[in-house]
Amino acid sequence: MAVVQSAGADSWAWFRARCARLVARGDGDAEREALDRLDRTAAVLGAVDEGERERVRAVHAVLWQGEFASLLESLAQEERDQLVEQLVELTREFEAEDGPSRGAVSGNTFHGPTAVQTGDHNRQENHFGSGR
């Protein structure tokens, strides 16, 4: 359900990237495929009219539940337990009022060179001007 709830939310890009990374388990091709599936879900949910929205959300929630169930079944118990823990944490972070949206940049106006960074544990170096 967290997938369909996050689609269209301010934190979608953050959730989408984290979810795909977890589903892929370090496989770049699998991560790209997960990103494509997440994008398709978001596109469908964004295009559906208000009268059909809840039904379509329920269908996609079941589809993602099946996706996660299949993935979990394919893993050894230790990996399964670890992934479940990570998925629960992802859901908690998304649902938290002070979660990933705390780093969101919205409604700002910048005049001149600007560097913006969100997220945790990042490093950024900026050099503006001619460098002389």
Side-chain angles (χ1 to χ4, degrees):
M1 194 57 154
V3 171
V4 297
Q5 289 174 341
S6 66
D10 288 341
S11 59
W12 171 246
W14 167 87
F15 181 91
R16 172 187 174 271
R18 288 274 309 275
C19 185
R21 226 175 294 132
L22 288 175
V23 168
R25 312 290 297 151
D27 179 336
D29 290 337
E31 186 170 342
R32 283 186 289 284
E33 290 173 16
L35 289 168
D36 286 345
R37 288 193 306 276
L38 287 161
D39 288 343
R40 284 194 301 272
T41 293
V44 168
L45 293 174
V48 69
D49 65 36
E50 191 66 37
E52 289 289 304
R53 183 163 289 134
E54 286 309 309
R55 184 189 67 75
V56 173
R57 286 178 64 149
V59 167
H60 279 267
V62 169
L63 290 172
W64 278 100
Q65 182 179 13
E67 183 82 22
F68 291 123
S70 293
L71 174 60
L72 290 169
E73 288 174 8
S74 72
L75 300 174
Q77 187 64 45
E78 186 176 320
E79 290 177 300
R80 184 179 310 143
D81 292 343
Q82 181 183 15
L83 181 58
V84 166
E85 185 178 308
Q86 291 170 329
L87 290 170
V88 168
E89 181 61 26
L90 173 65
T91 302
R92 280 190 193 131
E93 288 178 24
F94 170 73
E95 291 173 348
E97 288 180 4
D98 62 344
S101 60
R102 71 184 180 275
V105 176
S106 176
N108 294 288
T109 303
F110 301 100
H111 301 281
T114 304
V116 177
Q117 177 178 335
T118 62
D120 297 326
H121 312 295
N122 296 312
R123 179 182 171 177
Q124 182 177 33
E125 290 185 29
N126 301 303
H127 304 275
F128 297 108
S130 64
R132 295 180 217 195

